[in-house]
Amino acid sequence: MKHSSSLQTIKAVDFDQPQTLGAVCGVGRGWARVPDVPSPTEQRALKERIRALLIRHQAVLVAHYYVDAQLQELADETGGCVADSLEMARFGRDHPARTLVVAGVRFMGETAKILSPGKRVLMPDLDATCSLDLGCPADEFSAFCDAHPERTVVVYANTSAAVKARADWMVTSSIGLEIIAQLHAQGEKILWAPDRHLGQYIQQKTGADMLLWQGSCVVHDEFKGVELELLRAEHPHAKVLVHPESPAAVVAQADVVGSTTQLIAAAQTLDATEFIVATDLGILYKMRAAAPTKHFIAAPTAGNSATCKSCAYCPWMAMNGLANLADVLERGHNEIQIDAEIAARARVPIDRMLDFAARQRSSVRASGDLARDGALFAHVGPA
Ligand code: 13P
Ligand code: SF4
């Protein structure tokens, strides 16, 4: 591990870039900054500074499970939250703090700002993006929608505000299946973007008529079905936990398919001592905390550390560090700004999802099904 506080390196990241109305897949080139790792003494000092700054600025830290464990720990200790993208959105919207500091990737900060236009939303690094967002430019997506006006447009949370502004619904991985099942039951045909694997999974589970944008996540796209089969043979009692951004050959071997929160809940509640985990390995911090006696094994990716693109760590989530978090609170820069008209339009599909989730949650609570409620609607059972 490199301990330094001055130099930063840049990592190139190739991602799927669909072309000509989503029909052909090309390759785009993105980049991520690799933050310096502070020494243990620097870490302690930075955490103290951040605690004081959060109080001084009446700010709350909203973090995703994939960011550095130190940031997750700080969010928990200071009354913030560590959550999946649906819970992050809800928490930020409902929290009384005047400033939200979102430790995650750009679309999470934008969603927070769209839902709380009166709050200041800061991020440690505004260039922390997502291959799904990069691979779905708003103008091309808009042309795709124009070509299929008869379809209901459903977009994944991992998109820009401008793409959301073109959508009828936004969904996250924790609730996409239920929302599309309902739209399908109402006879609607779907235009889906951008993650092709999640789209295919939902299509297969619901039978909905879905036209798919061909984007992918650089982390989950690398999990490999054949290698997973071999690993399962070595660990025949292990349960397999898979995020639905993974390819179909991996999803097909899952005991549980779900959002990050749902996978953590499954690790805690399933009657097994060993788990194979196919998602960003930042999640292990919370999985181990939730199930300290259980053993977690990383699902195999496309290569070893020399050849894999992500090695099961999102390069953009990794751009969040203690030093840039402290800096952003100190200087008040890196504020999310969104054009008011785009934000107002993007809010409609997000609110639809949050209202749907609220209705679903109250009906589960009314039914008294605590296990289902506790698991936040995890899709426990064979994929
Ligand atoms: P979740 O909504 O499951 O947290 O997923 C967000 C994400 O970016 C996964 O790669
Ligand atoms: Fe995007 Fe994948 Fe990173 Fe999630 S893990 S933010 S989907 S690139």
Side-chain angles (χ1 to χ4, degrees):
M1 191 183 284
K2 184 170 64 120
H3 288 157
S4 132
S5 52
S6 54
L7 294 177
Q8 287 196 330
T9 44
I10 299 287
K11 174 182 176 166
V13 194
D14 291 342
F15 61 91
D16 286 337
Q17 172 86 67
Q19 294 162 341
T20 56
L21 298 184
V24 182
C25 223
V27 176
R29 167 145 292 195
W31 58 270
R33 254 187 287 275
V34 182
D36 301 324
V37 180
S39 69
T41 314
E42 286 171 328
Q43 284 177 19
R44 277 191 295 278
L46 283 165
K47 283 172 131 179
E48 272 316 302
R49 221 171 104 205
I50 292 166
R51 282 192 195 96
L53 286 163
L54 286 169
I55 295 169
R56 191 193 306 160
H57 295 296
Q58 298 178 39
V60 69
L61 181 56
V62 186
H64 190 264
Y65 299 114
Y66 295 166
V67 300
D68 187 84
Q70 304 266 358
L71 298 185
Q72 296 189 43
E73 202 177 272
L74 256 179
D76 280 338
E77 284 170 8
T78 55
C81 86
V82 186
D84 67 8
S85 43
L86 173 58
E87 287 299 317
M88 285 173 80
R90 190 162 29 203
F91 182 90
R93 181 196 62 181
D94 297 345
H95 200 280
R98 291 168 57 177
T99 297
L100 306 175
V101 189
V102 177
V105 293
R106 176 101 190 186
F107 78 83
M108 295 169 172
E110 288 189 349
T111 301
K113 183 69 187 174
I114 291 164
L115 289 170
S116 303
K119 293 179 191 164
R120 189 168 65 134
V121 179
L122 307 177
M123 295 191 73
D125 195 325
L126 288 178
D127 288 321
T129 184
C130 165
S131 58
L132 290 166
D133 187 347
L134 287 174
C136 190
D139 47 353
E140 289 174 38
F141 178 66
S142 206
F144 188 43
C145 296
D146 288 344
H148 303 282
E150 74 290 359
R151 287 180 179 262
T152 299
V153 178
V154 183
V155 299
Y156 193 31
N158 303 37
T159 45
S160 64
V163 164
K164 290 184 180 85
R166 200 46 232 254
D168 299 302
W169 286 82
M170 183 196 94
V171 303
T172 70
S173 57
S174 63
I175 204 157
L177 193 60
E178 288 83 351
I179 287 176
I180 289 188
Q182 174 171 293
L183 294 173
H184 175 51
Q186 291 165 349
E188 311 224 13
K189 290 181 176 182
I190 311 295
L191 183 154
W192 165 264
D195 188 275
R196 62 171 179 268
H197 298 306
L198 178 58
Q200 192 185 343
Y201 168 68
I202 295 176
Q203 190 171 41
Q204 180 235 316
K205 294 294 278 186
T206 62
D209 179 338
M210 293 173 71
L211 189 61
L212 309 182
W213 187 266
Q214 294 295 308
S216 74
C217 159
V218 291
V219 178
H220 295 87
D221 193 44
E222 288 205 317
F223 291 116
K224 288 287 170 219
V226 173
E227 285 80 353
L228 178 57
E229 271 174 41
L230 299 174
L231 188 64
R232 283 174 52 226
E234 284 172 34
H235 301 273
H237 302 297
K239 297 276 186 209
V240 181
L241 309 179
V242 176
H243 195 281
E245 290 168 13
S246 307
V250 174
V251 169
Q253 297 179 57
D255 292 289
V256 176
V257 181
S259 77
T260 44
T261 295
Q262 292 166 345
L263 297 183
I264 293 167
Q268 195 172 25
T269 53
L270 285 189
D271 187 18
T273 53
E274 218 176 26
F275 294 87
I276 298 174
V277 181
T279 192
D280 181 293
L281 297 177
I283 203 171
L284 294 186
Y285 169 70
K286 278 286 180 191
M287 267 188 185
R288 290 190 176 121
T293 58
K294 299 184 178 178
H295 180 56
F296 301 99
I297 305 162
T301 53
N304 56 35
S305 59
T307 56
C308 54
K309 274 193 235 169
S310 78
C311 307
Y313 283 102
C314 176
W316 295 295
M317 290 282 186
M319 285 166 68
N320 296 274
L322 289 172
N324 54 8
L325 172 57
D327 200 42
V328 90
L329 274 164
E330 195 110 69
R331 294 164 50 192
H333 63 174
N334 284 4
E335 184 174 352
I336 293 277
Q337 309 279 3
I338 305 173
D339 173 86
E341 200 190 318
I342 289 182
R345 276 193 276 133
R347 185 166 183 152
V348 175
I350 305 176
D351 277 342
R352 277 198 183 120
M353 175 193 75
L354 291 174
D355 291 349
F356 181 97
R359 282 196 302 277
Q360 197 190 35
R361 178 169 274 209
S362 42
S363 81
V364 169
R365 290 213 164 141
S367 77
D369 187 347
L370 293 180
R372 182 154 161 78
D373 188 25
L376 284 165
F377 318 111
H379 308 133
V380 179

